[in-house]
Amino acid sequence: MVSFVQALKLTLARRFSVNCRISRSEYWWSILWVVIYILVASFVGGFLGALIDLSEEGIGGLCVLFWLPGIVLSVLLAIRRIHDLDMSGWWVLISLVPYLGNAAVAGMCLVKGQVGLNRFGPDPLVPGALDHLLRKNVAPASSYVQPQYQATPQPPQARD
């Protein structure tokens, strides 16, 4: 399981990357960080708007301007989380459907990801994957070789 600090480091290191996978714990810790960011941005936007004597509409616009990085980051996080299910990131567009869309994306983010390697990279829950990402300053997924599990050896087949 990823800690809050580890999730923050990983999120900031690959903030614009979408061609990777993240675990559920990394996703939810990162979303908590985004919510905290949006709350602080709202406070700062409201304070600055009041300081320069903007109207309520102006303050709202200023707050939205401060929210944009958090909104973009939350969409990128959802895409990475959906990649863990071996699904296209375009599924995040279902959140545009009022009410049900956000519930569907949240449901996808709650489901356990695909075990093993998929087309978006290695399994983030494989032992050593988190250490590799933190130590290598978040190298691309292709640089991490997923451990191969060998089946039990089979006895040689007799030839005719």
Side-chain angles (χ1 to χ4, degrees):
M1 186 168 144
V2 178
S3 72
F4 179 75
V5 173
Q6 290 171 333
L8 183 61
K9 286 179 185 177
L10 290 170
T11 299
L12 290 176
R14 52 184 177 175
R15 59 191 161 270
F16 299 116
S17 174
V18 293
N19 197 19
C20 58
R21 300 166 61 176
I22 59 174
S23 65
R24 288 179 289 183
S25 60
E26 183 180 345
Y27 173 78
W28 290 109
W29 281 124
S30 299
I31 289 295
L32 175 64
W33 182 79
V34 168
V35 167
I36 292 169
Y37 168 81
I38 288 176
L39 289 173
V40 170
S42 298
F43 176 76
V44 170
F47 180 75
L48 288 177
L51 190 64
I52 59 176
D53 201 26
L54 287 177
S55 64
E56 287 185 26
E57 293 84 17
I59 291 175
L62 189 61
C63 287
V64 169
L65 185 66
F66 284 128
W67 294 348
L68 281 178
I71 292 169
V72 169
L73 184 58
S74 67
V75 170
L76 294 174
L77 288 167
I79 290 171
R80 289 184 218 154
R81 183 68 200 122
I82 291 171
H83 282 174
D84 195 37
L85 303 174
D86 201 21
M87 296 170 63
S88 171
W90 289 104
W91 277 99
V92 81
L93 291 178
I94 200 169
S95 65
L96 297 175
V97 175
Y99 305 111
L100 297 177
N102 287 329
V105 171
M108 283 189 253
C109 293
L110 287 171
V111 175
K112 186 177 186 320
Q114 181 183 11
V115 175
L117 191 65
N118 73 16
R119 61 188 164 143
F120 298 106
D123 187 349
L125 297 179
V126 168
L130 178 64
D131 293 333
H132 174 78
L133 290 172
L134 289 171
R135 186 177 55 250
K136 290 287 189 173
N137 200 13
V138 192
S142 60
S143 69
Y144 176 71
V145 179
Q146 179 131 358
Q148 298 294 321
Y149 300 102
Q150 297 179 354
T152 56
Q154 298 293 327
Q157 298 291 329
R159 293 187 157 203
D160 290 333

